[in-house]
Amino acid sequence: MKPWSLGIGDIHLKPAMKTTDRKPSSQRLVEANPDAMSHYRKMRGELWPPAGVDETTCEIMLAMQLAVLGREIPFKVHALRALSHGVTKDQLEGLLLSGLGVSLVAFETAQALIWLDEACAEAGASATVQT
């Protein structure tokens, strides 16, 4: 495929690649500064899961936040983790749709429903993912 020009000097873009072809941002951070990733993991370990909140609830909450932020890969990771804790795809779909009325994020909700379908298909599951 031929790249197309933005009309800004010699800047050319390739046609959009599937986002799943990208290197995970955490891997890029490790390459750029291994200490930064080590500190991040330590901080995350201190905060995860929050006191009094079970891991399943945390995974659901993170998946919903990532959906609204439009972050495909992290959304899929946390949606699959929620599924592995016994949450069903129907439950996640219901939660995504329930946020639609209060947050006015129709596009992000629709996109996250597509990502949920893709994540389940990639994991070979339709209702739950076994660990």
Side-chain angles (χ1 to χ4, degrees):
M1 294 182 154
K2 184 177 179 181
W4 53 278
S5 174
L6 287 175
I8 308 172
D10 293 330
I11 298 174
H12 297 279
L13 298 178
K14 293 181 181 178
M17 296 181 351
K18 289 173 46 178
T19 54
T20 53
D21 293 339
R22 289 186 309 213
K23 180 184 295 187
S25 56
S26 58
Q27 179 60 37
R28 182 63 185 104
L29 182 58
V30 168
E31 292 169 1
N33 189 330
D35 289 337
M37 191 62 184
S38 175
H39 290 297
Y40 169 78
R41 285 186 176 134
K42 182 178 181 196
M43 178 204 61
R44 178 88 185 251
E46 295 291 325
L47 299 173
W48 186 262
V53 181
D54 64 278
E55 200 165 326
T56 302
T57 301
C58 289
E59 292 297 349
I60 293 168
M61 180 268 312
L62 278 174
M64 298 304 112
Q65 288 180 335
L66 292 163
V68 171
L69 290 171
R71 302 298 307 262
E72 177 184 0
I73 304 302
F75 167 80
K76 287 180 176 180
V77 167
H78 290 283
L80 289 173
R81 286 182 183 167
L83 292 166
S84 75
H85 286 287
V87 177
T88 67
K89 182 181 176 193
D90 286 343
Q91 289 171 319
L92 290 177
E93 285 179 353
L95 289 167
L96 286 166
L97 291 170
S98 69
L100 181 61
V102 294
S103 58
L104 301 174
V105 287
F107 173 78
E108 290 83 356
T109 300
Q111 190 62 56
L113 290 169
I114 292 167
W115 295 340
L116 181 58
D117 289 340
E118 291 173 356
C120 287
E122 290 166 11
S126 60
T128 60
V129 175
Q130 302 299 318
T131 57

